[in-house]
Amino acid sequence: MKFYKLFGMMVLVLLAVTAVAVSAQDEAAGDLEIFSWWTGGGEAAGLDALIARFSELYPDVNIINSAVAGGSGVNARAVLATRVQAGDPPDSFQVHAGSALLNLYGADRMEPLNFLYEESGWMDQFPEGLLDLISSDGNIYSVPANIHRSNVMWYVPGNLEEWGVTVPETWDEFINETCPTLQEAGIVPLSVGQTWTQMHLWENVALAGLGVDGYNGLWDGTTAWDSPEVMQVFETYGQILDCTNDDRDALDWQPPAQMVVEGTAAFNVMGDWAAGYFLTDLELEPGVGFGWTTPPGTDGVFIMLSDTFGLPIGAPNRDAAVAWLKFLGSPEAQDIFNPIKGSLPANTTAAIDDSELYNAYFQDAYEDWTSNTIVGSLAHEAVGAGEFQNGFSEIIAQFSAEHDVETATIVAAELAADTLVTD
Amino acid sequence: MRQGEPLISDRLKAVLILIPSIIAIAIFVYGFIAWTGYTSLTNASLAVGSGEYVGMDNYVDLFTGLRHERFRTDLVNTFFFTALFIGLCLSVGLLLAMLLDQHIKGESFFRTIYLFPMALSFVVTGVVWRWLYHPVQGLNALPTLIGQPPGEFRWFISQDRWFVFNWQDLGGYISAFIFIIDIVLVAALVYWNRRGGRLPGFIVAVMLLLSTWALLEGPQQLTALRRPETHGFNLAIIAVVIAAGWQMSGYTMAMYLAGLRGIPEDLREAARVDGASEWGVYRLVVLPLLQPITLSAMIILGHISLKIFDLVYALGGGDNPYIDMPGVNMFFTTFRGNALGRGAAIAMILLIMVALVIVPYLRTSLRSEHEL
């Protein structure tokens, strides 16, 4: 008898403890659908690690990982667009900071998250320039998971020495000196891949040619797309293309990056996800197996893109989604996710100094991130997302063959007039 | 009366059984076509929702807007792709079928081998051929195996163009073409009248419509661009034609083989008795009897080639204008560009193109069923 009583009391105590523990966790429960295009490599592994930790914190929440593969997110966005239009959004979805978030979704589709930022003390923890890219009219619409840099130029220091070239300071130097020297030696001076990587290269050339104000002016209408300055950018870009591998339209971004470390190409301009590729997939040592610098003329500027998650209006399980976002923005989650994906943490209280977590490249890039002028990337939807970016892809693809500066700028001007939201 | 009763209840049953599918088709096929048609007349996008009515603007833009060179390239590409793809499949399919028809040993083995590619998805075909077409390591490396220099053709990333023309001139060419057809038809009419023949009514009606359109300078308006824009036969299309032909030739072979087996052996025997050579048997007896098969094959291959998406997307990655097709453009316009209205307009133009191929076929096949 006594035994049963004891046992009964133990059960009661256990129940009570669990109840307290559960109520301490905001009582988030049920299914939580997280939508993204992170399906491979470090991104998927990072997301899995996040989900694993979240499930420990909120055991009652059943996470449904709805990731759609392919097309650097185009396929996922096709699915997402249909679902959002139909009023059936997932609980939280991945969207690039900047115009992709604000112009495509924005106030009509997303719930402001200011309450979350205030309650978690994030107003001071996330950089102001980044908050600007996810806010409109004082409302913050998403939580950044990471930061990537677009303007990085990769090379192998030992190879450059062997070929007798140095990192060019300007694109003119690259076109007139570096490029002919390397071409004579049978080395591809600059490797590039298919259209989106060409657009990525273009935005770096444009920033160098137009400067920060001129580049930003492209998006708010103060820099005319058919101005002599932009024509000069296309002129330079065309000459740079002549220094690239001619099978570019057959390659995604990895093969051009690989050409550099294999020694068949000298330079490659690609975002810093290439660092993850060099470190994790090719197992190279930073500074020896690969080196990095800013592309000519973009020193002191940081072209950024950021993956963020938001709370759509009509999310089926709002409580769980808020709990997810609160977790995602915390330094703990940022330090789980970013070292695996190979990106910078967006929350400044993350442990960036921990060299176990963040390697030499990221320490270096973080310094730039906190000290440089920040502008948004076109190729990655921080600026000009949607119709402009789609139309500009066509211009870049046409330009690849014909190098017709006049047509490119005239069409771009018309495209900008029709599609860029000037506010 | 008693005799009529089962008939009525039969009819009732038939109607009742058909009603669900009629309703389903009315909503999910024709209803959605109508909806797409309406969307194509608006500026709908993800950002602004259902959008405002803008009339024919999307269509006018696609044909004459500077920004939409990609769409015009698609039309030209589709034209050459369809012609070459149908030609390749028909000739390879017929050749294989004729070879298999020789009652060789292991016929079913070869038949399976030739049919196999059809079991694959176009996406798989696209990925495999993407590797084969690699400019350095792929097919181009084959000649080096026998000590020859590697191939130079750049396959699906080739930027070469043949038959280059200016889009602005195209309208004039189309008008001229319509008038030439008119003259040929009138000549045929005169010739046939003497022999008591007549031209089918619907051909005359279509030609009258086209001629009026050409007289009103419709084709010129359709191609009225502000700036010159060159188009032509992109050699990269050859890569898509080979990959698609590799996949669909086996299917064409199967159709032809069925047709060949349907030709009674007595007919061939009779021809041989009359002194026809083996080639003569094919030319004079077999091929004419295969004409309906050729027509069906052309229709089936034609609508595949007009709607092609997956092969091009997997092969070229989507942004390669030299192999681009309207289906790919529609996807990117709608889902990357978020221009739902213009995407719908491309969809409607695709529908019209496919209808131009399918409707005459349905007409003839329905009529021949009636005659039976």
Side-chain angles (χ1 to χ4, degrees):
Chain A
M1 267 316 200
K2 235 180 180 180
F3 174 76
Y4 282 113
K5 254 187 193 166
L6 197 69
F7 184 74
M9 271 176 68
M10 273 171 70
V11 168
L12 272 177
V13 169
L14 266 177
L15 276 175
V17 168
T18 336
V20 170
V22 166
S23 67
Q25 291 287 4
D26 293 341
E27 291 168 40
D31 288 343
L32 171 65
E33 188 185 0
I34 307 287
F35 188 97
S36 72
W37 56 88
W38 287 335
T39 54
E43 335 182 300
L47 181 61
D48 287 343
L50 275 183
I51 290 175
R53 178 66 185 129
F54 183 80
S55 299
E56 277 171 37
L57 293 172
Y58 300 89
D60 295 335
V61 176
N62 171 36
I63 290 203
I64 301 166
N65 179 4
S66 309
V68 175
S72 55
V74 178
N75 300 350
R77 271 165 283 169
V79 176
L80 185 63
T82 324
R83 289 186 55 180
V84 170
Q85 280 263 311
D88 169 37
D91 295 300
S92 183
F93 60 81
Q94 180 187 5
V95 55
H96 280 138
S99 64
L101 169 71
L102 300 176
N103 298 343
L104 302 187
Y105 298 99
D108 297 340
R109 315 269 186 208
M110 310 297 286
E111 206 179 304
L113 295 171
N114 297 41
F115 71 94
L116 190 62
Y117 276 74
E118 274 154 20
E119 153 192 325
S120 318
W122 288 349
M123 287 297 193
D124 308 320
Q125 297 182 3
F126 286 91
E128 210 180 306
L130 178 58
L131 288 184
D132 286 346
L133 277 170
I134 54 175
S135 316
S136 96
D137 299 330
N139 291 322
I140 306 174
Y141 287 107
S142 69
V143 176
N146 63 1
I147 301 293
H148 273 301
R149 183 176 201 171
S150 151
N151 58 328
V152 191
M153 189 159 80
W154 309 94
Y155 60 93
V156 178
N159 285 350
L160 294 196
E161 246 169 70
E162 191 183 314
W163 298 325
V165 291
T166 50
V167 175
E169 296 287 321
T170 63
W171 283 115
D172 280 342
E173 184 192 336
F174 173 80
I175 293 164
N176 297 321
E177 291 164 34
T178 320
C179 175
T181 312
L182 288 165
Q183 276 178 335
E184 261 170 48
I187 307 291
V188 174
L190 182 76
S191 60
V192 73
Q194 61 194 27
T195 305
W196 73 264
T197 67
Q198 292 167 26
M199 180 153 53
H200 186 112
L201 176 62
W202 184 91
E203 77 186 15
N204 279 282
V205 178
L207 177 62
L210 301 172
V212 170
D213 292 338
Y215 178 83
N216 284 335
L218 290 172
W219 322 118
D220 61 19
T222 50
T223 306
W225 279 87
D226 46 5
S227 62
E229 290 81 16
V230 177
M231 289 184 85
Q232 184 53 47
V233 166
F234 270 100
E235 200 74 57
T236 312
Y237 171 69
Q239 289 167 336
I240 295 169
L241 273 190
D242 289 334
C243 294
T244 63
N245 45 314
D246 59 1
D247 62 350
R248 52 182 178 259
D249 290 306
L251 309 174
D252 206 346
W253 69 268
Q254 294 97 333
Q258 206 172 354
M259 286 167 74
V260 170
V261 296
E262 278 175 354
T264 53
F267 298 100
N268 175 233
V269 173
M270 186 37 61
D272 56 11
W273 42 94
Y277 178 64
F278 293 142
L279 289 161
T280 321
D281 296 86
L282 306 181
E283 296 176 350
L284 297 166
E285 197 185 326
V288 183
F290 67 97
W292 62 89
T293 179
T294 47
T298 65
D299 191 33
V301 191
F302 192 107
I303 307 184
M304 66 79 68
L305 56 132
S306 167
D307 293 301
T308 73
F309 282 81
L311 180 62
I313 291 171
N317 191 348
R318 189 180 174 279
D319 287 345
V322 169
W324 160 256
L325 294 173
K326 190 171 178 169
F327 168 68
L328 186 71
S330 69
E332 183 195 1
Q334 303 252 324
D335 285 337
I336 292 174
F337 178 70
N338 287 301
I340 304 178
K341 165 140 166 65
S343 45
L344 293 172
N347 189 323
T348 51
T349 58
I352 186 71
D353 295 331
D354 187 343
S355 59
E356 291 282 295
L357 291 176
Y358 298 98
N359 62 57
Y361 168 76
F362 289 105
Q363 309 263 349
D364 186 41
Y366 196 78
E367 224 178 278
D368 286 349
W369 163 244
T370 45
S371 61
N372 283 358
T373 313
I374 292 176
V375 299
S377 159
L378 166 67
H380 306 283
E381 299 191 300
V383 287
E387 202 171 355
F388 181 83
Q389 196 222 30
N390 184 50
F392 200 70
S393 300
E394 292 166 24
I395 294 173
I396 290 286
Q398 290 290 348
F399 191 82
S400 165
E402 291 157 14
H403 291 21
D404 182 346
V405 172
E406 199 189 338
T407 304
T409 47
I410 290 176
V411 176
E414 185 157 312
L415 178 66
D418 286 0
T419 59
L420 283 181
V421 185
T422 47
D423 43 20
Chain B
M1 253 356 258
R2 280 192 63 190
Q3 279 169 328
E5 264 171 15
L7 190 69
I8 289 171
S9 80
D10 255 10
R11 282 213 171 144
L12 199 67
K13 264 186 216 155
V15 169
L16 281 178
I17 288 170
L18 281 178
I19 275 180
S21 58
I22 288 175
I23 292 176
I25 288 177
I27 295 174
F28 293 107
V29 177
Y30 296 99
F32 285 179
I33 289 178
W35 191 0
T36 307
Y38 173 71
T39 309
S40 75
L41 303 176
T42 69
N43 61 358
S45 79
L46 183 66
V48 300
S50 54
E52 293 159 18
Y53 179 80
V54 294
M56 297 296 283
D57 277 8
N58 285 327
Y59 294 91
V60 174
D61 271 0
L62 284 174
F63 281 98
T64 60
L66 280 188
R67 281 171 48 198
H68 304 295
E69 177 174 357
R70 179 173 182 174
F71 174 74
R72 299 183 283 270
T73 311
D74 294 341
L75 289 184
V76 179
N77 282 351
T78 303
F79 174 79
F80 286 108
F81 173 67
T82 305
L84 289 176
F85 170 66
I86 293 181
L88 181 75
C89 285
L90 288 185
S91 45
V92 173
L94 182 61
L95 181 73
L96 291 178
M98 276 162 61
L99 291 178
L100 281 184
D101 194 39
Q102 307 305 315
H103 301 285
I104 50 165
K105 241 186 203 168
E107 185 203 309
S108 63
F109 172 74
F110 285 110
R111 202 173 51 211
T112 317
I113 292 263
Y114 295 147
L115 260 178
F116 246 148
M118 210 193 84
L120 297 179
S121 142
F122 263 131
V123 174
V124 178
T125 313
V127 173
V128 170
W129 283 90
R130 184 189 171 97
W131 293 329
L132 288 177
Y133 285 142
H134 188 281
V136 182
Q137 292 139 13
L139 291 176
N140 281 356
L142 274 185
T144 58
L145 291 181
I146 50 167
Q148 298 296 309
E152 291 288 321
F153 186 50
R154 309 192 60 74
W155 301 106
F156 71 96
I157 57 165
S158 164
Q159 299 178 336
D160 293 332
R161 251 176 199 169
W162 284 0
F163 314 124
V164 174
F165 64 89
N166 180 353
W167 181 261
Q168 292 166 315
D169 301 335
L170 187 64
Y173 298 151
I174 295 176
S175 299
F177 182 71
I178 292 174
F179 291 136
I180 290 173
I181 300 273
D182 276 345
I183 293 168
V184 171
L185 278 182
V186 170
L189 212 61
V190 172
Y191 178 70
W192 267 334
N193 253 343
R194 281 208 203 125
R195 305 173 57 184
R198 286 185 62 203
L199 223 56
F202 86 96
I203 290 191
V204 175
V206 168
M207 283 319 296
L208 274 178
L209 265 177
L210 282 179
S211 308
T212 324
W213 183 56
L215 279 175
L216 294 174
E217 302 217 313
Q220 278 85 342
Q221 284 168 24
L222 204 61
T223 57
L225 264 184
R226 292 212 314 272
R227 307 182 72 238
E229 187 181 279
T230 51
H231 290 278
F233 169 46
N234 297 312
L235 294 195
I237 290 288
I238 293 174
V240 192
V241 170
I242 294 177
W246 174 81
Q247 173 143 16
M248 295 309 292
S249 301
Y251 175 67
T252 324
M253 175 211 71
M255 288 179 78
Y256 272 127
L257 200 56
L260 284 171
R261 293 289 144 84
I263 296 170
E265 196 57 30
D266 345 351
L267 283 179
R268 301 189 195 201
E269 281 301 318
R272 287 193 192 108
V273 170
D274 286 346
S277 64
E278 201 54 31
W279 168 238
V281 172
Y282 272 103
R283 196 166 57 89
L284 298 169
V285 178
V286 174
L287 289 186
L289 285 171
L290 284 179
Q291 253 181 21
I293 306 277
T294 308
L295 184 67
S296 309
M298 279 176 74
I299 304 293
I300 290 168
L301 296 172
H303 91 270
I304 290 176
S305 77
L306 290 174
K307 293 191 296 193
I308 196 150
F309 167 82
D310 29 14
L311 177 66
V312 177
Y313 188 63
L315 187 65
D319 271 321
N320 180 344
Y322 296 91
I323 56 170
D324 202 50
M325 304 285 171
V328 184
N329 190 358
M330 178 178 78
F331 176 76
F332 279 105
T333 303
T334 313
F335 293 115
R336 190 173 62 186
N338 295 305
L340 307 189
R342 196 165 323 103
I346 301 177
M348 290 310 286
I349 294 169
L350 259 181
L351 177 74
I352 292 168
M353 291 189 333
V354 176
L356 286 179
V357 174
I358 295 283
V359 170
Y361 172 70
L362 288 181
R363 223 184 111 94
T364 47
S365 66
L366 282 179
R367 192 194 286 154
S368 55
E369 264 171 41
H370 268 288
E371 281 162 7
L372 289 174

